[in-house]
């Protein structure tokens, strides 16, 4: 799939939703991204993102991504107007887990903890 998401590509099986389009930012196709359980570092690091919407899954290549308070602002080719950005409101953004940067020593990604058992200091499960 190319930057605009118009060509078919195999959808990775390890996609992790990291945020969703919250709406337009300005009039030139920038979007506000509400983050889901992350600080946005993976999205800022990833070279490609996947849009998970009602019309299917598309790969996009972010041209720019930056922090804006608790959210991110992002821009990619193919989203060129406020109306186009608003039409994406609610669409999830995902990155393959295999493309996450290595976590710092002693840190973990939440997605790697799903399904793990929890035992408190008293030994209770």
């Amino acid at each position: 799939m190319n930057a605009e998401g118009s060509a078919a590509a195999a959808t990775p099986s390890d996609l992790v939703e990291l945020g969703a389009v919250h709406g337009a930012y300005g009039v030139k196709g920038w979007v506000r991204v509400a983050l889901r359980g992350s600080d946005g570092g993976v999205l800022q690091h990833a070279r490609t993102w996947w849009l998970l919407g009602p019309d299917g899954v598309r790969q996009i290549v972010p041209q720019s991504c930056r922090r804006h308070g608790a959210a991110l602002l992002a821009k990619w080719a193919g989203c060129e107007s406020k109306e186009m950005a608003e039409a994406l409101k609610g669409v999830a953004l995902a990155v393959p887990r295999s493309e996450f940067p290595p976590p710092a020593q002693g840190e973990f990604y939440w997605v790697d903890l799903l399904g793990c058992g929890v035992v408190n200091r008293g030994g209770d499960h």
Side-chain angles (χ1 to χ4, degrees):
M1 192 171 293
N2 65 19
E4 291 79 29
S6 61
T11 302
S13 62
D14 61 343
L15 288 177
V16 178
E17 288 186 31
L18 298 174
V21 176
H22 194 63
Y25 182 81
V27 296
K28 295 186 178 184
W30 283 78
V31 299
R32 288 178 287 128
V33 176
L35 300 170
R36 294 186 180 156
S38 76
D39 65 1
V42 173
L43 283 170
Q44 288 178 293
H45 169 16
R47 293 186 314 235
T48 60
W49 297 353
W50 293 80
L51 295 177
L52 311 176
D55 297 331
V57 178
R58 310 187 280 150
Q59 184 181 28
I60 59 169
V61 178
Q63 296 170 326
S64 186
C65 178
R66 67 178 187 260
R67 297 281 311 165
H68 186 70
L72 293 178
L73 299 178
K75 175 73 176 92
W76 57 82
C79 186
E80 306 302 331
S81 69
K82 178 179 181 177
E83 293 76 21
M84 293 175 93
E86 282 295 329
L88 294 170
K89 189 172 183 175
V91 171
L93 295 167
V95 171
R97 172 59 184 95
S98 57
E99 293 184 19
F100 284 28
Q105 184 173 350
E107 292 186 1
F108 302 90
Y109 288 113
W110 61 265
V111 70
D112 296 335
L113 300 175
L114 296 175
C116 290
V118 176
V119 180
N120 68 17
R121 291 183 179 158
D124 298 323
H125 295 270

